[in-house]
Amino acid sequence: MDEREYVELDGLGLAEAIREGRTTAREALDAARARADRLDPKLNAICLRLDDRAEARAAEELEGPFAGVPFLLKDLHQDLAGVPTSSGCRALAGRPATETATVVQRWLDAGVVVFGKTSTPEFGSKGITEPALFGPTRNPWDLARTPGGSSGGAAAAVAAGIVPVAAASDGGGSIRIPAACCGLVGLKAGRGLVPHGPTESEPLNGLATAGVVSRTVRDTAAMLDVLIGPEAISPYAPGLPDGPLLDELGRDPGTLRIGWTVDSAVRATPHPEAVRAVEHAAELLEGLGHHVEPVAAPHDDEQLAKDFLTIWFVHQAIEVEHVKRLTGAGDEGFEADTRVMAALGRLTSGVELQAADERRKEHIAALARFHEDYDLLLTPTLGEPPIPVGSLDLPAPLRTVSEVLLRTRTTKLMQLTGVVDQIVQRNLGWVPYTQLANVTGRPAISLPLHWTPEGLPLGVQLVGRLRSEALLLRLAAQLEEAAPWAQRRAPVD
């Protein structure tokens, strides 16, 4: 199998070719590694190669829907026993995992051949992928721009054709943001559908979940079929789909009522291309017979952003302290921005955290009221096209101030310096739409329906009600047929 044949196939197509004897797992692995060798020096998407392990794996008799398909894990919460998980953090670099994560085991049971791990920002804390540990990952559509984050390495690798589908995760948009930046499909499943074991039950107060980024809707559906279902330490048994999600594709989604909006208090003026992306999607949907109309944002997104960040900052504080205890590292083991977020988390009282978590029911109720009249909410996934690498670096004067405050442990003064406002605006201002699905626990999908005049992808997001994964996938497959995207090729190749 040469590279040209390899990149034409999605994950299920490649597994079929291997199953039918038209190629082998080893030939597919060789094609994936050849592309990685040639393209990753430009992208910096893969932070760890596992070639010896992959060669041994490809020689096995593999079974499952993705048997023999080359695959990349995300270097965050996706532990493979004996292999380091750095989470983009200097303090954790080179530290091997002692257990294999449940989702990783389920991917292995599906037959994938893992040959590396993809880069992520430190602790997955940004919508870009520029960890100090590994350096910035770049977008295959424009190497000067970000592939998004925190699953930016995964998205860059898939968009470059290194693998047809890659592991990802989403705590505030980290599947959907890179999918939108790189012209891919990115589905965040509803809360609790995908387990988190064996060491964590429900991380980030239930905001986070695992999944994939892929080129095709059917790979996304089949991968979710692989992952879903509770395990022993799951906090509850979720409502599972009525049957395989892959079987939903091709079924008529019916005539849907869809409300679209670009409103955001976090970003008062979305980029014109973000608006065009939604308008274009609305036209496509109307052409398919759906009823689509503009609506006001159904929720208080300014309060939602504050609640999301309250939970996020406390999580960062807990994570930093955990890693310090685990490794013995000091402050030098962490990036300055992470230490700032952790400091803000330590300033948060238990009452403030509990209030932010309990306001989740208000955000859920607001979205539920919207869904009484509409089947789906349509928004941009991004507030603007993929931003240049380095755009979110804290300006030197504010960085100096924050370092002084951290060093002197006078972090309460941060709120008077503008550091907090800068972090919030820089990190959420260009991606203000994705946190809604995490806070409410609802499923949401980003689809690559728009490219800017400069050739940059800019996806749109559809948010559904509880247990609407099947509906989202049926509609996504309908849109994929109406406006195919899988064979578009990023210019990095």
Side-chain angles (χ1 to χ4, degrees), residues 18-104:
I18 294 168
R19 188 166 55 249
E20 293 179 351
R22 289 182 279 127
T23 188
T24 66
R26 178 56 190 262
E27 288 175 350
L29 175 62
D30 287 345
R33 293 191 299 184
R35 290 187 70 79
D37 291 343
R38 183 163 55 83
L39 298 178
D40 197 51
K42 305 175 187 177
L43 300 171
N44 195 31
I46 302 172
C47 61
L48 178 66
R49 289 282 289 264
L50 301 170
D51 289 326
D52 291 344
R53 181 185 285 254
E55 288 177 8
R57 170 83 170 167
E60 298 175 9
E61 290 292 330
L62 300 172
E63 296 181 352
F66 290 91
V69 175
F71 196 66
L72 294 166
L73 300 175
K74 182 178 177 181
D75 193 32
L76 178 71
H77 299 307
Q78 294 179 1
D79 291 348
L80 183 59
V83 173
T85 297
S86 75
S87 303
C89 176
R90 290 189 294 265
L92 289 172
R95 188 180 182 88
T98 57
E99 296 181 272
T100 295
T102 300
V103 291
V104 173

Side-chain angles (χ1 to χ4, degrees), residues 57 62-80 100-114 116-117 151 154 165-170 175 194-195 209-213 219-228:
R57 170 83 170 167
L62 300 172
E63 296 181 352
F66 290 91
V69 175
F71 196 66
L72 294 166
L73 300 175
K74 182 178 177 181
D75 193 32
L76 178 71
H77 299 307
Q78 294 179 1
D79 291 348
L80 183 59
T100 295
T102 300
V103 291
V104 173
Q105 189 58 56
R106 290 186 179 184
W107 279 315
L108 293 172
D109 292 343
V112 301
V113 176
V114 174
K117 286 194 147 190
S151 307
V165 57
S169 60
D170 192 317
I175 289 175
V194 178
T209 190
V212 298
V213 287
D219 272 1
T220 289
M223 276 294 188
L224 191 52
D225 283 332
V226 166
L227 293 177
I228 60 176

Side-chain angles (χ1 to χ4, degrees), residues 168-219:
S169 60
D170 192 317
S174 292
I175 289 175
R176 291 157 290 149
I177 292 166
C181 286
C182 293
L184 305 174
V185 179
L187 171 64
K188 183 203 80 70
R191 183 176 182 181
L193 203 58
V194 178
H196 292 280
T199 58
E200 292 186 270
S201 175
E202 200 174 27
L204 199 60
N205 291 35
L207 271 62
T209 190
V212 298
V213 287
S214 74
R215 292 203 312 264
T216 65
V217 174
R218 71 174 192 162
D219 272 1

Side-chain angles (χ1 to χ4, degrees), residues 4 168 174 198 313 318 335 421:
R4 286 175 296 180
S174 292
F313 290 159
I318 293 170
E335 296 177 17
D421 291 340

Side-chain angles (χ1 to χ4, degrees), residues 14 168 250 256 276 301 320 324 335 338 365 394 407 420 479 492:
L14 185 56
L256 303 178
R276 291 190 190 101
D301 74 322
V320 167
K324 283 184 174 181
E335 296 177 17
T338 299
L394 204 61
R407 189 168 57 251
V420 177
L479 287 163
V492 71

Side-chain angles (χ1 to χ4, degrees), residues 148-435:
S150 63
S151 307
V158 174
I162 294 172
V163 287
V165 57
S169 60
D170 192 317
S174 292
I175 289 175
R176 291 157 290 149
I177 292 166
C181 286
C182 293
L184 305 174
V185 179
L187 171 64
K188 183 203 80 70
R191 183 176 182 181
L193 203 58
V194 178
H196 292 280
T199 58
E200 292 186 270
S201 175
E202 200 174 27
L204 199 60
N205 291 35
L207 271 62
T209 190
V212 298
V213 287
S214 74
R215 292 203 312 264
T216 65
V217 174
R218 71 174 192 162
D219 272 1
T220 289
M223 276 294 188
L224 191 52
D225 283 332
V226 166
L227 293 177
I228 60 176
E231 61 181 339
I233 68 166
S234 296
Y236 46 81
L240 299 176
D242 296 329
L245 290 167
L246 185 60
D247 291 350
E248 297 291 336
L249 309 189
R251 292 179 180 172
D252 186 357
T255 300
L256 303 178
R257 288 183 57 84
I258 301 170
W260 68 267
T261 186
V262 297
D263 293 350
S264 170
V266 179
R267 185 188 180 105
T269 307
H271 193 281
E273 285 300 320
V275 177
R276 291 190 190 101
V278 172
E279 291 175 341
H280 173 59
E283 291 172 3
L284 278 172
L285 289 162
E286 286 182 337
L288 293 169
H290 303 293
H291 178 76
V292 187
E293 63 185 38
V295 296
H299 63 296
D300 182 352
D301 74 322
E302 183 174 13
Q303 184 61 58
L304 184 140
K306 291 177 182 177
D307 293 337
F308 171 80
L309 288 173
T310 295
I311 295 169
W312 192 272
F313 290 159
V314 171
H315 172 74
Q316 292 294 294
I318 293 170
E319 191 76 11
V320 167
E321 292 308 311
H322 169 71
V323 172
K324 283 184 174 181
R325 289 195 303 272
L326 186 68
T327 66
D331 287 347
E332 73 287 347
F334 307 89
E335 296 177 17
D337 287 1
T338 299
R339 293 165 56 210
V340 169
M341 287 185 274
L344 294 171
R346 287 190 290 272
L347 292 175
T348 303
S349 71
V351 171
E352 289 169 328
L353 175 61
Q354 184 68 16
D357 198 45
E358 290 197 3
R359 266 192 299 272
R360 186 190 312 236
K361 65 180 181 291
E362 298 174 16
H363 305 307
I364 291 172
L367 191 55
R369 286 192 295 271
F370 168 85
H371 280 133
E372 290 173 1
D373 298 318
Y374 298 93
D375 296 294
L376 298 170
L377 173 66
L378 169 66
T379 74
T381 310
L382 313 172
E384 61 186 285
I387 58 177
V389 169
S391 295
L392 300 190
D393 291 348
L394 204 61
L398 282 178
R399 182 170 293 277
T400 299
V401 169
S402 64
E403 286 284 4
V404 170
L405 294 177
L406 287 166
R407 189 168 57 251
T408 59
R409 303 194 181 280
T410 52
T411 49
K412 286 187 177 181
L413 297 177
M414 280 187 182
Q415 296 177 351
L416 303 177
T417 65
V419 171
V420 177
D421 291 340
Q422 286 269 1
I423 289 175
V424 171
Q425 190 55 43
R426 285 171 173 269
N427 282 279
L428 292 189
W430 82 286
V431 288
Y433 302 104
T434 54
Q435 296 80 36

Side-chain angles (χ1 to χ4, degrees), residues 136-149:
T137 300
R138 298 179 180 275
N139 193 320
W141 294 90
D142 181 346
L143 294 174
R145 295 179 183 268
T146 184

